[in-house]
Amino acid sequence: MHDDELIARAKAWLAEDPDAETRDELAKLIDAQDLPELTTRFSGTLQFGTAGLRGELGAGPMRMNRSVVIRAAAGLAAYLKSKGRTDGLVVIGYDARHKSADFAQDTAAVMTGAGLRAAVLPRPLPTPVLAFAIRHLGAVAGVEVTASHNPPRDNGYKVYLGDGSQIVPPADAEIAAEIAAVATLADVPRPTTGWETLDDTVLNAYLARTDAVLAPGSPRTARTVYTPMHGVGRDTLLAAFARAGFPAPTLVAEQADPDPDFPTVAFPNPEEPGAMDLAFAEARATNPDLIIANDPDADRCAAAVPVPGDGWRMLRGDEVGALLATHLVRRGARGTFAESIVSSSLLGRIAEKAHLPYEETLTGFKWIARVEGLRYGYEEALGYCVDPDGVRDKDGITAALLITELASELKEEGRTLLDLLDDIAVEHGLHATDQLSVRVEDLSVIADAMRRLRERPPTRLAGLAITKAEDLTKGTETLPPTDGLRYTLDGARVIVRPSGTEPKLKCYLEVVLPVPTHTDLPAARAKATDLLETIKRDLSAAAGI
């Protein structure tokens, strides 16, 4: 757009911005005639999709701010009314990030102004509490203001419908169309009162529900070190552990309080290098059986275990996924086991041997949660749904309870989670997984890599022939279309896809090797590690990354 048009758009946005902080920020950009930055802010609008909204905080339509949130809430309200939910309840939760409380209050005001009923959780709480509250209260929709494990500068807006699971197409496009139809903020009624602020009744009902994931009378002896990673999980997890009768977790003090600046980590995600260092240090000092970590909104759960003579090791999401599945099978769980396509194929082997239904979905719990008859679902990115009747989403609190129960049972037997992983490998084959993840500043790098792989697909990786190459944009017999590539190799699998929530290209690798006996495990693990590293190298070269 021309410079004059750009300045005019910025001034029009400034005139209706309800937030003094972003008004001041935008006014300074206009006064300075900072055209490059204004172009970045006004080159389009933050797109509403199946992850809702997520982006950097700041002024303008390409940033997360109160103006963007008010429009999103108005679009959601219009969508609900178009579906006949004219006086339904919308329940709203939020985390402890910058502006989260403001965005939650704006959403409540918009819903109330639209004639819907709105209820806001009493304070920053884990995302699973919001997902639970939707079903518990019979709401027609829910909103969680969170950017999960994104950097401190980000925030987000996650939308659930009345079944308690996140939106999927076509709802996302229909809501986006209603958002686009909001001409000005003056068209959006926003009363200053009229919604309910909930008390702790819903939280207490959620905590009462967490008891159901544990077996009556099971051992509760495992000692843990716990970090909420500067997020909102601490009080809810400690309450859940106390109710269950586990020893009180030792907190990582430096990360125990909610802090939107996440001062001790580069990225507040347990999977990121360095994020668990303080937890490892606390574990070395206190010698627990297990480390538990949540991400900042506590819908993900990480676990780390002591390795004899070698300190502490973070378990991969796929390893925890297999451990929890095995635990549930041994407890007699019935129903469908489900996972996304980027997770280890080991879950399918476990379900098959237990004569349980199994389904594979697209990436994201919005798909896993919709599997009919779901009993257990997981995704390799540390997400686990162990109580789908209570929370139709990943839940880092109940997952932490279940993995600590399993560690307690093994402790009573003089065994560890690593011993059980060895047993699983011998029973089902070693399923070794890894990830090649490339964070970019320029999103065109991701588009170029995907184009390169489509135009010149590799025929071999690590010397293994690619027996099947699938472009997932075309869909499959069991999956709707998605932006991704899947390569099946002799004894291995690779999936390449752009992240839906971060500026990353993600490549998911799996190698499967038979393991006749426990004595064969060291050699199998060494071979798998070598194959994974070689696949990474060859894939990087093929993608040009």
Side-chain angles (χ1 to χ4, degrees):
M1 77 185 85
H2 296 299
D3 293 352
D4 291 346
E5 182 186 355
L6 176 62
I7 295 294
R9 282 191 65 188
K11 286 181 175 177
W13 186 275
L14 177 66
E16 64 173 21
D17 189 337
D19 189 311
E21 192 174 329
T22 46
R23 274 201 315 273
D24 181 58
E25 177 188 325
L26 184 54
K28 287 177 179 174
L29 292 174
I30 294 170
D31 290 344
Q33 297 280 296
D34 190 341
L35 299 178
E37 184 62 23
L38 288 170
T39 298
T40 300
R41 306 288 186 100
F42 288 87
S43 60
T45 58
L46 210 55
Q47 290 302 299
F48 186 93
T50 50
L53 293 168
R54 199 174 287 189
E56 187 175 343
L57 290 162
M62 288 294 288
R63 295 287 186 269
M64 281 297 296
N65 51 64
R66 290 183 61 198
S67 296
V68 164
V69 165
I70 290 166
R71 283 179 164 81
L76 174 59
Y79 167 82
L80 292 171
K81 292 170 76 173
S82 76
K83 301 297 182 184
R85 313 292 198 198
T86 51
D87 62 349
L89 173 68
V90 178
V91 61
I92 302 150
Y94 59 102
D95 67 11
R97 284 177 178 265
H98 294 295
K99 299 289 182 183
S100 286
D102 293 339
F103 295 167
Q105 182 159 311
D106 282 330
T107 300
V110 170
M111 295 302 159
T112 304
L116 294 153
R117 293 177 293 123
V120 184
L121 292 181
R123 58 188 171 279
L125 286 167
T127 293
V129 177
L130 180 276
F132 167 83
I134 295 165
R135 291 159 67 90
H136 182 70
L137 297 174
V140 298
V143 170
E144 176 69 18
V145 180
T146 181
S148 189
H149 55 277
N150 274 38
R153 64 178 183 272
D154 289 359
N155 212 329
Y157 197 82
K158 188 183 292 189
V159 176
Y160 298 75
L161 294 181
D163 64 353
S165 56
Q166 297 172 51
I167 54 169
V168 296
D172 56 343
E174 293 174 20
I175 295 169
E178 296 285 4
I179 295 171
V182 178
T184 69
L185 294 193
D187 298 335
V188 183
R190 284 180 289 136
T192 55
T193 59
W195 58 89
E196 180 183 4
T197 299
L198 297 168
D199 59 20
D200 278 351
T201 304
V202 169
L203 174 62
N204 291 335
Y206 167 82
L207 286 168
R209 179 85 202 182
T210 63
D211 297 348
V213 306
L214 302 175
S218 64
R220 313 281 166 92
T221 55
R223 294 171 50 253
T224 55
V225 159
Y226 170 66
T227 174
M229 202 99 12
H230 299 297
V232 299
R234 178 191 63 195
D235 293 349
T236 305
L237 183 133
L238 292 181
F241 269 56
R243 287 180 64 100
F246 287 111
T250 300
L251 290 172
V252 178
E254 302 94 328
Q255 298 175 334
D257 295 328
D259 188 330
D261 293 318
F262 306 105
T264 68
V265 291
F267 295 98
N269 178 355
E271 292 182 295
E272 293 283 349
M276 295 287 286
D277 286 356
L278 289 170
F280 291 153
E282 185 64 42
R284 286 192 293 271
T286 57
N287 196 32
D289 300 298
L290 187 66
I291 298 173
I292 295 291
N294 287 137
D295 67 338
D297 69 326
D299 62 352
R300 288 173 167 84
C301 175
V305 293
V307 179
D310 196 29
W312 285 81
R313 177 168 86 78
M314 173 99 156
L315 296 178
R316 302 191 66 83
D318 286 318
E319 291 177 311
V320 175
L323 287 167
L324 293 179
T326 300
H327 187 42
L328 289 170
V329 165
R330 290 180 176 181
R331 275 184 22 192
R334 308 309 297 169
T336 302
F337 279 29
E339 64 180 339
S340 65
I341 58 172
V342 299
S343 304
S344 171
S345 59
L346 175 55
L347 185 68
R349 302 267 185 104
I350 293 171
E352 181 182 20
K353 188 153 188 180
H355 306 292
L356 293 174
Y358 164 77
E359 280 199 34
E360 195 177 55
T361 74
L362 291 184
T363 308
F365 262 84
K366 57 184 176 283
W367 299 108
I368 295 171
R370 284 181 157 73
V371 167
E372 190 172 342
L374 180 68
R375 175 58 184 88
Y376 170 65
Y378 99 92
E379 191 156 70
E380 57 76 43
L382 310 182
Y384 313 94
C385 176
V386 300
D387 178 27
D389 290 341
V391 176
R392 301 292 287 193
D393 198 5
K394 54 187 177 292
D395 183 345
I397 305 296
T398 50
L401 287 169
L402 200 61
I403 195 70
T404 308
E405 178 187 55
L406 175 57
S408 298
E409 288 187 2
L410 292 165
K411 182 179 181 179
E412 296 300 297
E413 299 167 6
R415 285 160 46 80
T416 69
L417 293 172
L418 292 179
D419 292 327
L420 181 53
L421 283 172
D422 286 351
D423 293 349
I424 292 169
V426 172
E427 184 175 2
H428 301 288
L430 175 64
H431 290 63
T433 59
D434 203 352
Q435 191 180 125
L436 172 63
S437 182
V438 182
R439 185 181 293 271
V440 301
E441 294 292 330
D442 180 359
L443 289 177
S444 69
V445 173
I446 294 176
D448 288 346
M450 295 298 288
R451 178 181 47 77
R452 193 175 290 112
L453 288 170
R454 286 189 169 103
E455 290 176 355
R456 294 189 297 278
T459 57
R460 302 179 78 82
L461 293 169
L464 302 175
I466 293 176
T467 57
K468 187 176 183 182
E470 298 168 278
D471 186 340
L472 299 178
T473 55
K474 300 169 184 174
T476 72
E477 289 182 7
T478 56
L479 297 171
T482 187
D483 186 9
L485 299 164
R486 179 162 62 181
Y487 303 117
T488 303
L489 300 85
D490 185 16
R493 185 205 64 192
V494 172
I495 293 173
V496 185
R497 60 178 283 271
S499 169
T501 56
E502 297 178 273
K504 282 183 173 181
L505 181 67
K506 290 188 166 185
C507 309
Y508 304 86
L509 323 175
E510 179 175 41
V511 169
V512 182
L513 297 171
V515 185
T517 69
H518 281 74
T519 56
D520 298 302
L521 269 167
R525 288 205 167 100
K527 182 178 178 181
T529 299
D530 183 57
L531 280 170
L532 288 167
E533 286 302 315
T534 311
I535 290 172
K536 265 194 211 180
R537 186 189 66 217
D538 292 354
L539 187 62
S540 294
I545 53 175

